[in-house]
Amino acid sequence: MPRPLKLLIHGAALRANLRRARSLASASRVLAVVKADAYGHGLARVVQGLAEADGFGVACLEEAALLRELGVRRPILLLEGCFSGADLERARELKLDLVVHQEEQLRMLEQPCTTSPPRVWLKINTGMNRLGFPPQDARAAWERLRALAGLAGEPLWMTHLACAAQPEHPANAEQLRLFKNLTRGLPGPRSIANSAALLELPESHADWVRPGLMLYGAAPFEKPHGAGLGLHPAMTLRSSIIARQQVPAGGQVGYGGAWRCERATCVGIVACGYGDGYPWNARAGTPIWINGRRMPLLGPPAMDMLAVALEAPAHIGDPVELWGKHLPVEEVAASSGTITHELLCRMQSCQRAVELEEEEDGPVAETPSPGARPGACA
Ligand SMILES: *Cc1c(COP(=O)(O)O)cnc(C)c1O
């Protein structure tokens, strides 16, 4: 029998989140960002749920090639552009859209070639200071791109906001103003917004929005969580209780006695650990969903299991949700000192250890907890 650990991907949630993105930015086209193996969800698994997107954003050629193999005919944008001339050849074969963010990439495009030319998204650095031409070079770069014979349509204008997750931050207005001034009167579609900007900065929507995180049902803000923004978690990490221990007051749990029970505790052992992507630095007390209620994690997880205080009756074989439909992944991320993006992305390295299935939505039975002697394994 396989380990009871399962990563469930909810296709219906992906579809609903994409609809939500569309309704918030109804005048824009939606480029669904699926880099990092679709934020750890598995690119091949999300593609159905996001099939209605107007295009896809990826970080590497391998992801783009996989999307084409899966039958995607819509635009696919390489978010960091090409790293070499060989990349450019391959990108042309795959008919990809390319970000052009620096001089080297511009020169590559200016080399003579015979294959069909790509569509380019000219990226301007308006303050993020990561990728993009400096504002003073933007116009010249744009003119060079337009001079390329047979470029597939007008170049698009693109920038990225550094502080969109803090909608009130003055840097947002500054970046937007700079971008607007630079592109004023010039032809070509514009693109600015990631999830946070799509949700909270309508003035950034422009022609294409580029949501990532929100499509997976999570919020890019501390509060509210995805559910409060009309989003639905697209991933549930589920396992079950594989053992129970009755630990007396003063007894310890885990390596080095990492957790000490102040009072008699019924401890449940769950088949999920840091080797599966659950964060080692999750604080004691991080909630775990068992039988319709939250119970606290005890000490750090081990490689393939973790300990939880069974504060209500729970038995070997009972299902456990580490995050997902009943427990926001944002909460587990915050309780582990990381961001939700990173926690989800971890699951891509863990896909060997977990079983994936496309699951249609159905409620998980919530068992009311009958009264029991506190701390005793009932
Ligand atoms: C990753 C990425 C996005 C999506 O960001 P989210 O915060 O996940 O919505 C958008 N644009 C660019 C350029 C990106 O690299």
Side-chain angles (χ1 to χ4, degrees), residues 33 35 39 79 123 158 160 194-195 210-213 341:
V33 177
K35 62 195 178 188
Y39 290 46
L79 289 165
K123 189 162 188 178
M158 171 180 176
H160 199 46
N194 62 359
S195 296
R210 307 188 305 266
L213 191 67
H341 293 79

Side-chain angles (χ1 to χ4, degrees), residues 31 33 35 57-58 77-81 97-101 120-127 130-133 138 142 145 155-161 175 179-180 182-183 187-194 204 206-210:
L31 187 91
V33 177
K35 62 195 178 188
V58 298
L77 176 63
L78 264 187
L79 289 165
E80 296 166 17
D97 284 21
L98 299 178
V99 165
V100 173
H101 62 81
V120 298
W121 299 49
L122 178 62
K123 189 162 188 178
I124 313 301
N125 173 17
T126 54
R130 208 174 55 173
L131 301 186
F133 287 87
W142 180 74
L145 281 175
L156 290 90
W157 294 94
M158 171 180 176
T159 196
H160 199 46
L161 300 177
Q175 286 194 258
F179 187 67
K180 206 169 168 186
L182 279 168
T183 57
R190 276 92 160 134
S191 176
I192 304 167
N194 62 359
S204 72
D207 299 296
W208 283 86
V209 288
R210 307 188 305 266

